[in-house]
Amino acid sequence: MKIITEASVYLLGYQAVAGHELERFLADHDVTWETDTEVGAEVLTETAGRLCYMSYAKPRPGGNTAYLTHIKEVGHGSVLEHAVWNFVFTGVSRTLTHELVRHRAGMGYSQLSQRYVDESVAEYVCPDVIRNDPELYRVWYTAMREAHAAYVTLAEKLAEKLVGAAYLKYARDCARMHLPPCGPDDWYRGQHQEVKTGFRKEARQAARSVLPNATETKIFVTANGRALRHFLEQRGSRFAEPEIRKLAGQVLAVLQAESPALFSDYVRERLPDGTDEITTQYRKV
Ligand SMILES: Cc1cc2nc3c(=O)[nH]c(=O)nc-3n(C[C@H](O)[C@H](O)[C@H](O)COP(=O)(O)OP(=O)(O)OC[C@H]3O[C@@H](n4cnc5c(N)ncnc54)[C@H](O)[C@@H]3O)c2cc1C
């Protein structure tokens, strides 16, 4: 049983600009325009924003950063929806992902299935406030170990029961047709992989009911810039749960490196529990 205290954030995808098509669009409209960023998300959001007024010809000074800061100032948030990133988060609890998937607008998710994937090698995410107290940690660890053992037993016994019931049905069918049945092991070996997977899935989906909220999970998240800003503000708040607040801090670090023009307005303030609160003067654009 592995205990996790820190999430991992992987940035798997970001945007690339089809430069030749941008040039073709500008040429078709008799304008020349160049921006001063090479970050795909920043080029695309500026292009989208400028399209609204066809303001490519005489851009104000300050380049892409000034332009996108103005977009945030005036709250023209839909422009930020054209920036998209793909992440994988691992080492997060089911509690965290339950909160994360409440963010609906502009976010897409693919999460590890507890019905298909065996959790008998499960890992558990321990809240810092428990991890840092030996007595509380002992109570927590015992609870995880017991829940884990119950899951393994239930998954095994349920699978055995389901296979046993299916074999009995087969044996009864054979008897009705006056055919000699083969033994249970041979019968099981002869089953299609899909049928065997079906038994395990049925067993795991029931057994997982005893798994704790702390069970580690993995989630693929695709999100646009506007949705990510909303996520950072809500979940980076001092009122958010510490695990998701820490994740918001990790995501912010990735995004500030990735796209300073869209995310450098966020500032961090250290809270007494050692996590950072994230705030901005341009809330919920
Ligand atoms: C500190 C904290 C405590 C919380 N406690 C609880 C709790 O006790 N119980 C609970 O159930 N939830 C709780 N939540 C979750 C919260 O209610 C939201 O569901 C979650 O934060 C997602 O926010 P959202 O709906 O604004 O975001 P998103 O779904 O990301 O939407 C972004 C924005 O799009 C707009 N939008 C999205 N969907 C719609 C829609 N269907 N109709 C109209 N406008 C829409 C809204 O303006 C919304 O703010 C909590 C959240 C936080 C941060």
Side-chain angles (χ1 to χ4, degrees), residues 80-95:
L80 308 187
E81 292 171 20
H82 301 294
V84 177
W85 288 271
N86 313 99
F87 292 95
V88 167
F89 304 148
T90 66
V92 292
S93 69
R94 277 250 163 188
T95 307

Side-chain angles (χ1 to χ4, degrees), residues 39-257:
V39 177
E42 294 176 348
V43 176
L44 291 167
T45 45
E46 184 178 351
T47 308
R50 289 195 180 283
L51 182 138
C52 299
Y53 303 123
M54 287 305 280
S55 64
Y56 301 102
K58 288 182 202 140
R60 286 194 211 142
N64 177 269
T65 300
Y67 185 83
L68 292 179
T69 302
H70 178 66
I71 290 286
K72 288 184 266 182
E73 264 166 13
V74 297
H76 197 173
S78 60
V79 166
L80 308 187
E81 292 171 20
H82 301 294
V84 177
W85 288 271
N86 313 99
F87 292 95
V88 167
F89 304 148
T90 66
V92 292
S93 69
R94 277 250 163 188
T95 307
L96 184 146
T97 55
H98 185 78
E99 293 182 346
L100 177 64
V101 301
R102 295 293 301 277
H103 293 272
R104 304 148 291 169
M107 311 276 273
Y109 305 100
S110 298
Q111 181 166 13
L112 179 82
S113 168
Q114 280 187 333
R115 298 175 74 202
Y116 281 91
V117 177
D118 179 18
E119 292 281 11
S120 65
V121 286
E123 300 173 345
Y124 298 94
V125 179
C126 185
D128 291 340
V129 69
I130 294 177
R131 183 78 174 133
N132 297 333
D133 181 315
E135 194 187 333
L136 294 181
Y137 183 65
R138 260 196 306 279
V139 174
W140 182 88
Y141 189 86
T142 306
M144 294 305 115
R145 207 181 44 213
E146 284 172 3
H148 184 85
Y151 169 82
V152 173
T153 306
L154 285 170
E156 275 171 18
K157 291 204 177 299
L158 275 166
E160 274 170 27
K161 191 175 166 178
L162 291 164
V163 171
Y167 175 75
L168 272 182
K169 183 181 175 306
Y170 152 80
R172 271 199 299 267
D173 289 347
C174 286
R176 245 197 318 273
M177 290 183 278
H178 307 291
L179 293 168
C182 60
D185 290 347
D186 285 340
W187 170 82
Y188 185 75
R189 258 194 298 278
Q191 296 304 302
H192 272 287
Q193 197 52 44
E194 243 174 57
V195 174
K196 292 178 186 170
T197 305
F199 291 133
R200 284 195 292 271
K201 188 181 108 186
E202 228 180 299
R204 285 170 188 160
Q205 74 191 10
R208 70 171 169 169
S209 60
V210 298
L211 286 173
N213 275 338
T215 307
E216 189 263 359
T217 185
K218 305 173 204 312
I219 190 161
F220 194 114
V221 181
T222 297
N224 71 50
R226 188 182 202 180
L228 280 165
R229 288 184 60 91
H230 185 57
F231 163 77
L232 291 172
E233 286 152 40
Q234 283 209 326
R235 302 304 179 174
S237 142
R238 66 183 60 214
F239 304 108
E241 215 264 343
E243 187 191 359
I244 201 164
R245 186 162 61 241
K246 285 202 301 182
L247 179 76
Q250 288 173 270
V251 172
L252 177 61
V254 171
L255 289 171
Q256 284 187 327

